[in-house]
Amino acid sequence: MHLLDPINFSFPLLATATQAADSSMVVAAVLLSLVVVYLASKVGGELSNQVGLPPVLGELVGGVVVGISVFHLLVFPEGGTDSSNSLIMSFLQITAGLTPEATPAVFAAQSEVISVLAELGVIILLFEIGLESNLKDLMAVGIQATVVAVVGVAVPFAAGTVGLMTLFGISAVPAIFAGAALTATSIGITSKVLSELGRLNSKEGQIILGAAVIDDVLGIIVLAVVASLAKDGVVDVSKVIYLIISATGFILGAILLGNVFNKSFVAIADKLKTRGGLVIPAFIFAFAMAYLAAVIHLEAILGAFAAGLVLEETDKRKELQRQVCPIADMLVPIFFVTVGAKTDLGVLNPAIPDNREGLIMATFLIIVAILGKVITGLSVFGQPEINRLAIGVGMIPRGEVGLVFAGVGAASGALSKPLGAAIIMMVILTTFLAPPLLRFVFPDPKTVDSGSDQLILDGSSASLVIEPPQSRVPASNDSGNLEVTPESSDR
């Protein structure tokens, strides 16, 4: 280890944040943060699974417990906290000799690294979800998904904006901002729950997933409109047109790319003989697509999802899924725990006078947020046997997307403190209500292994599906269905 002492390791990510900080202290702080994250995610996920709820809900709750709301182990400066609120910083001062003068710089760097890892986690999550989805199935429900997405944006936006203006006397710009926050859908949270329930590739799951992607694109356009309105009092029409064209072109381009890139990717992977010969090229492609989406002012997660859809069409899909899974297990929990850790439940305390007005407005926003998305299931047409309630419930969680709207609104000065608190409460409750509600509206599929064929009794549609032996693939640990292959049966 002494041979490493003269070497000056420098990471661009930490370059600005650690100019006044000891890099070894930053690494120590990040390591302690990851210990907290993984403990919270595993304990929360296991407890949630024990009571029959999706593990992702336990990860969110675990994040709340270790975050700003309870133990202050994992806190972030975006919530208005500083290094004095972080127990990890206090622990480093006691055990590692971190000086009070250096603490703010170390805290800033540690928070930045964890936030970036969380963003990386959700990018990998959407890449994994893309690999588990089927492009043809998504295109088959494209019209229904588009209708669901448009209704899911228009109804909450109109109801929230008009209701705040008429019932609470809120002026137009902040009311429009709050209405815009109601349009969001967290594709990360919804897709994770659907995957855990084994419903990702059901007809309902595909409509929810497709609608959430379109909803995300529409949400970005709505955010651009209201941000321009809050900043200048007028809407930048050219920017809106640019976003519409770039979003449409990106998605269509990804679909077309899938038809020409598949064989090239497999050929490249077959020629690579060292470790990571399949997963590394896949991540290069996924990150490049995520970067491209971010460059044209879309969400990076949309690029990663599109990359997953493209690679799902290749012959290497199943092997790639197996290799991506452990990487996702390491990074995805950071995202969900971080979302929970940044959630300040203090805004729900009615004993604080400033919260009372916000609580009343929050009650209204929560009702609109839930009903405005549940009603989207009624817009599905041509599918008489489909579970419309499940589709509506799947669109409920706002998650990190809703927090982005709240953050932009607060930064612009358009939102009053009570209205800002009300939006945050709406985001919190819709995020935490959606996983158990999805479990409720999606009965557990009953699976019976008959030896040579797989019998799956789907509780939502009471349909019996018989899969031939050649179509079976090993199931992941989170799958709701029992799937057996000759290779896996020997384990």
Side-chain angles (χ1 to χ4, degrees):
M1 292 300 291
H2 293 293
L3 294 175
L4 298 178
D5 292 340
I7 302 176
N8 181 23
F9 290 98
S10 177
F11 298 90
L13 175 66
L14 306 178
T16 57
T18 61
Q19 288 177 354
D22 183 347
S23 59
S24 64
M25 287 294 178
V26 175
V27 172
V30 170
L31 291 174
L32 283 176
S33 299
L34 291 177
V35 169
V36 171
V37 165
Y38 290 135
L39 277 174
S41 68
K42 184 50 61 180
V43 173
E46 290 294 330
L47 291 176
S48 183
N49 187 62
Q50 287 292 322
V51 296
L53 294 174
V56 65
L57 179 62
E59 293 180 358
L60 287 168
V61 174
V64 170
V65 172
V66 300
I68 188 63
S69 295
V70 185
F71 287 141
H72 290 234
L73 285 166
L74 195 66
V75 296
F76 298 86
E78 303 96 289
T81 59
D82 56 31
S83 57
S84 63
N85 298 111
S86 172
L87 287 184
I88 286 180
M89 294 299 110
S90 300
F91 185 78
L92 285 174
Q93 288 178 356
I94 296 171
T95 61
L98 177 63
T99 63
E101 294 77 16
T103 300
V106 173
F107 173 68
Q110 170 250 350
S111 300
E112 180 70 17
V113 172
I114 296 300
S115 295
V116 170
L117 289 175
E119 288 296 322
L120 188 60
V122 74
I123 287 172
I124 290 176
L125 169 63
L126 266 296
F127 177 58
E128 185 181 32
I129 295 300
L131 285 173
E132 294 177 6
S133 304
N134 186 284
L135 185 58
K136 293 183 178 64
D137 290 343
L138 276 178
M139 293 176 67
V141 299
I143 297 176
Q144 287 96 337
T146 301
V147 171
V148 169
V150 171
V151 172
V153 168
V155 173
F157 178 75
T161 302
V162 174
L164 286 172
M165 293 176 67
T166 56
L167 298 177
F168 298 95
I170 304 295
S171 57
V173 171
I176 290 173
F177 238 118
L182 292 169
T183 67
T185 296
S186 175
I187 184 174
I189 291 171
T190 297
S191 58
K192 180 66 172 176
V193 175
L194 289 173
S195 180
E196 289 174 346
L197 294 177
R199 299 287 186 162
L200 193 62
N201 288 316
S202 66
K203 184 71 74 173
E204 293 88 351
Q206 292 297 292
I207 291 177
I208 293 170
L209 196 59
V213 171
I214 298 169
D215 190 81
D216 214 355
V217 174
L218 293 175
I220 293 166
I221 295 170
V222 170
L223 180 59
V225 171
V226 296
S228 298
L229 189 62
K231 182 179 179 182
D232 305 318
V234 294
V235 176
D236 188 344
V237 178
S238 62
K239 185 175 183 180
V240 175
I241 294 174
Y242 167 77
L243 284 172
I244 293 173
I245 294 174
S246 61
T248 304
F250 181 82
I251 294 173
L252 292 178
I255 292 173
L256 293 175
L257 181 63
N259 296 325
V260 298
F261 183 72
N262 298 337
K263 294 181 180 178
S264 299
F265 176 81
V266 172
I268 293 171
D270 285 338
K271 290 182 179 180
L272 300 176
K273 303 304 179 184
T274 57
R275 285 182 57 176
L278 177 61
V279 72
I280 296 300
F283 276 128
I284 291 173
F285 177 61
F287 293 157
M289 291 285 285
Y291 168 76
L292 181 60
V295 164
I296 61 176
H297 303 293
L298 298 176
E299 291 286 341
I301 57 176
L302 290 179
F305 177 73
L309 285 178
V310 169
L311 296 183
E312 188 275 337
E313 296 290 302
T314 68
D315 297 334
K316 299 284 188 179
R317 175 178 62 87
K318 295 180 179 65
E319 183 182 351
L320 184 57
Q321 281 180 333
R322 287 192 291 268
Q323 294 188 23
V324 168
C325 189
I327 300 172
D329 289 342
M330 289 293 294
L331 289 171
V332 173
I334 303 176
F335 167 69
F336 289 110
V337 172
T338 299
V339 170
K342 292 181 178 180
T343 300
D344 186 3
L345 297 183
V347 297
L348 299 173
N349 185 4
I352 301 175
D354 288 343
N355 288 351
R356 293 168 190 167
E357 183 183 359
L359 282 169
I360 297 173
M361 285 190 287
T363 303
F364 168 76
L365 291 179
I366 290 165
I367 293 172
V368 172
I370 294 175
L371 295 181
K373 292 294 187 179
V374 169
I375 201 173
T376 60
L378 300 178
S379 64
V380 178
F381 59 92
Q383 304 284 341
E385 301 296 326
I386 205 160
N387 189 339
R388 288 175 169 79
L389 179 59
I391 292 172
V393 170
M395 300 293 290
I396 286 176
R398 269 55 177 191
E400 74 289 351
V401 184
L403 292 176
V404 168
F405 277 85
V408 172
S412 69
L415 301 179
S416 64
K417 188 173 181 180
L419 183 56
I423 293 174
I424 292 174
M425 289 182 227
M426 178 273 296
V427 172
I428 292 171
L429 288 182
T430 56
T431 299
F432 281 89
L433 281 174
L437 286 178
L438 274 171
R439 171 76 74 180
F440 177 75
V441 298
F442 268 137
D444 288 334
K446 305 296 189 297
T447 303
V448 180
D449 188 0
S450 62
S452 60
D453 290 316
Q454 181 190 38
L455 302 177
I456 304 175
L457 183 60
D458 188 329
S460 65
S461 59
S463 61
L464 189 63
V465 180
I466 302 179
E467 296 187 5
Q470 63 269 22
S471 68
R472 293 192 296 254
V473 297
S476 64
N477 291 334
D478 293 330
S479 175
N481 297 331
L482 177 61
E483 300 185 5
V484 182
T485 64
E487 294 89 342
S488 63
S489 61
D490 295 332
R491 293 178 186 173

